[in-house]
Amino acid sequence: MRTARTFVWHTGDQIVVAYFSLAAHLVVRADLPPKIGPGSPDAIPAVLLARLALDRSLHGQGLGGELLLNALSRAMQASNVAAARLVVVNAIDEAAAASYEYHRFIAVPGNRQRLVQKTSDIAAALDGEGPIG
């Protein structure tokens, strides 16, 4: 059963150095920050960025942002086909949550490590019409 799609970055000799997974998801509007949910149905279609990891040896080189950009670009491709309104992430820790917030994700009330961003905002940023982080 396919529940997620994983994308892998690897070196020329096939050593995995980064990856991310995307999955279809639903979010309950009542669980969202007030500025995200208005005008949406009770169950909002989303893309879940289920995993995102970069080899520690590559930290501090700006590659985490590049990996996230790649993941968001793929999420937008999925959104264009399946009409998702949000991208959802579950940060592994506070540092990861802060990184997602830097990239314009907003924490949901009561769970700082679950963050969301509207696909319309991501699309505008990818098109050069707004900040992506």
Side-chain angles (χ1 to χ4, degrees):
M1 176 188 291
R2 294 180 64 177
T3 58
R5 174 76 192 253
T6 300
F7 300 85
V8 177
W9 285 8
H10 57 81
T11 63
D13 53 357
Q14 304 299 309
I15 297 172
V16 174
V17 295
Y19 62 89
F20 60 89
S21 296
L22 300 175
H25 195 60
L26 278 176
V27 178
V28 176
R29 183 182 66 208
D31 294 341
L32 293 173
K35 64 182 175 180
I36 297 285
S40 295
D42 290 337
I44 303 168
V47 175
L48 175 65
L49 177 49
R51 307 230 187 276
L52 184 135
L54 179 68
D55 188 274
R56 289 187 196 279
S57 68
L58 299 176
H59 287 195
Q61 300 177 38
L63 295 173
E66 289 295 319
L67 183 63
L68 180 60
L69 180 63
N70 187 212
L72 293 177
S73 295
R74 298 276 188 162
M76 292 310 302
Q77 290 172 354
S79 173
N80 289 335
V81 173
R85 286 191 174 185
L86 302 170
V87 173
V88 179
V89 296
N90 292 308
I92 194 167
D93 57 26
E94 285 294 318
S99 177
Y100 285 119
E101 285 178 328
Y102 175 80
H103 291 284
R104 313 289 187 231
F105 281 81
I106 300 169
V108 302
N111 185 353
R112 176 160 153 56
Q113 289 179 238
R114 184 169 179 84
L115 302 99
V116 297
Q117 188 169 168
K118 291 180 181 179
T119 54
S120 59
D121 292 343
I122 295 169
L126 292 173
D127 289 341
E129 299 171 15
I132 198 153

